[in-house]
Amino acid sequence: MNTQLLHIVQNMPKAELHIHIEGSLEPELIFALAERNGVALDYPNVEALRAAYDFHDLQSFLDIYYAGASVLLKEQDFYDMTAAYLAKAKADHVRHTEIFFDPQTHTARGVPIGDVIHGIHRACQEGPVSATLIMCFLRHLSEEDALATLDAALPYRDLIIGVGLDSSEVGHPPEKFARVFARCRELGLHLVAHAGEEGPPAYIETALDVLKVERIDHGVRCLEDAALTRRVAAEGIALTVCPLSNIKLRVFDTMKEHNLLQLLDAGLVATVNSDDPAYFGGYLNENFVAAFESLPLGLQHAHQLARNSFTASFLEPEKKQQFLDEVDAYFAAFNVV
Ligand code: HPA
Ligand code: ZN
């Protein structure tokens, strides 16, 4: 493998747009918080918990992911989790991150939504990198539950930039959440949704047409529909691709079969992200390295992916341009235009 290319990819300035903060909870922190909060876990130690990270699809992952999140009870717990992620992001040369959180996972256990949001937000304010918050609705729950969650979050409206849709995809199409997304749109929130990870390309289409999302999370199954691919490219809709996640959850059998390069070749604004780094074997740079080691990606692709990560962000135009200039200056040193 070209070690100079890997070095360039690891050190390039980048944004992360698809990270579930609960998915950054490392086993060591899960055990520390369990002890601090007196929560009983089904596993005797860190090694046993890590050994259970043997997923075969999205649902088998989600079952363990929600169990891990059960140790989060206090505002300080959300702060500690977020501060740990931001330190990792900084080490990976992440300049800006748009962090997903799942309030319903916590409010269902009696945690006040204000504690969830304040804990994450406080860490973001102190954090070493630019960070904003996207509140996700759990699609396996009802739209009424999502609407109630939105109401509960309204006092904290200014602390979040957008909303998303995650959890079990198949059987829970985007259109199930048409009303709540329409309300979020009226509120001026940015809109994203997971679609085309395990679910069919039709879910990408309804996420765009019914929910009116601005980005698609995952979206890798887009390529199964040529007309949809052309549309997503023409409209400049970004896809937040998560390479290690896709292998762990068996969306692709091996990284060599991952379609990241085909997505770029189709003219799509694809980005690389970590999804749930504590569960899928690595943070953002580990995702870049895994993809660049297995796929015929070069310097131009690295430059494109770094640019895409900022282009697809919800940063203000001026800030976005500053980061894009930083990316271009970084790559200028390697004679890439
Ligand atoms: N897909 C759906 N829901 C999720 C994911 C994912 O990859 N990660 C955390 N919640
Ligand atoms: Zn995700």
Side-chain angles (χ1 to χ4, degrees):
M1 183 58 207
N2 180 341
T3 54
Q4 198 210 353
L5 178 59
L6 287 188
H7 182 82
I8 290 170
V9 166
Q10 287 171 303
N11 286 283
M12 69 188 186
K14 50 181 84 76
E16 175 149 62
L17 307 177
H18 186 159
I19 155 79
H20 301 263
I21 198 64
E22 295 88 349
S24 74
L25 202 49
E26 292 287 347
E28 289 76 9
L29 188 52
I30 290 179
F31 272 83
L33 294 179
E35 186 162 4
R36 189 158 99 188
N37 290 331
V39 174
L41 291 170
D42 285 342
Y43 303 89
N45 52 45
V46 164
E47 290 70 34
L49 176 58
R50 225 183 264 282
Y53 291 2
D54 180 22
F55 317 117
H56 50 271
D57 60 9
L58 177 56
Q59 194 58 51
S60 60
F61 154 69
L62 290 170
D63 293 343
I64 290 228
Y65 163 82
Y66 294 129
S70 70
V71 300
L72 296 160
L73 292 180
K74 302 277 193 305
E75 193 257 13
Q76 185 67 36
D77 305 338
F78 292 91
Y79 173 90
D80 291 343
M81 170 176 64
T82 308
Y85 161 68
L86 290 171
K88 298 270 197 186
K90 167 90 176 163
D92 282 353
H93 300 271
V94 171
R95 296 285 190 272
H96 173 69
T97 175
E98 299 183 358
I99 298 176
F100 293 150
F101 68 105
D102 289 339
Q104 289 154 297
T105 301
H106 314 298
T107 53
R109 293 180 288 108
V111 180
I113 194 167
D115 289 358
V116 177
I117 296 175
H118 278 140
I120 301 171
H121 179 255
R122 184 159 64 86
C124 290
Q125 286 216 297
E126 293 175 9
V129 305
S130 158
T132 49
L133 300 184
I134 296 178
M135 179 172 82
C136 288
F137 301 116
L138 299 180
R139 67 203 303 159
H140 68 273
L141 299 178
S142 68
E143 188 180 40
E144 282 65 37
D145 207 308
L147 283 161
T149 301
L150 177 60
D151 277 341
L154 284 181
Y156 316 100
R157 159 69 187 88
D158 292 345
L159 303 187
I160 63 175
I161 57 155
V163 297
L165 188 64
D166 64 4
S167 191
S168 322
E169 186 180 0
V170 175
H172 302 286
E175 52 272 31
K176 177 177 165 186
F177 296 91
R179 288 181 302 156
V180 70
F181 269 67
R183 273 203 63 201
C184 291
R185 198 156 171 254
E186 283 165 19
L187 288 165
L189 289 158
H190 285 291
L191 309 177
V192 299
H194 284 53
E197 176 188 18
E198 279 194 348
Y203 284 18
I204 298 175
E205 219 159 345
T206 52
L208 294 172
D209 290 337
V210 181
L211 302 189
K212 306 201 184 303
V213 300
E214 299 157 81
R215 290 198 301 247
I216 297 285
D217 296 312
H218 292 293
V220 290
R221 292 193 57 194
C222 177
L223 292 186
E224 293 171 28
D225 182 330
L228 176 65
T229 302
R230 281 193 297 275
R231 174 195 175 180
V232 173
E235 294 181 11
I237 303 288
L239 305 184
T240 60
V241 178
C242 306
L244 286 173
S245 167
N246 290 158
I247 305 312
K248 293 283 179 201
L249 303 188
R250 306 205 189 158
V251 175
F252 300 97
D253 289 337
T254 68
M255 195 61 85
K256 287 203 181 325
E257 290 155 90
H258 198 286
N259 67 4
L260 176 61
L261 180 54
Q262 286 93 310
L263 294 168
L264 291 170
D265 284 346
L268 300 172
V269 186
T271 64
V272 168
N273 306 271
S274 70
D275 208 4
D276 299 283
Y279 291 89
F280 297 150
Y283 288 78
L284 189 49
N285 272 356
E286 279 141 333
N287 275 269
F288 271 105
V289 167
F292 274 73
E293 278 181 337
S294 295
L295 300 171
L297 295 162
L299 202 52
Q300 302 276 3
H301 299 110
H303 190 183
Q304 189 67 55
L305 287 165
R307 291 195 115 258
N308 287 354
S309 73
F310 292 108
T311 304
S313 75
F314 295 135
L315 284 164
E316 297 300 322
E318 201 173 298
K319 195 80 201 152
K320 194 181 277 197
Q321 193 56 51
Q322 277 174 18
F323 283 125
L324 286 169
D325 290 346
E326 189 190 349
V327 168
D328 291 345
Y330 176 85
F331 279 94
F334 309 109
N335 289 324
V336 179
V337 282

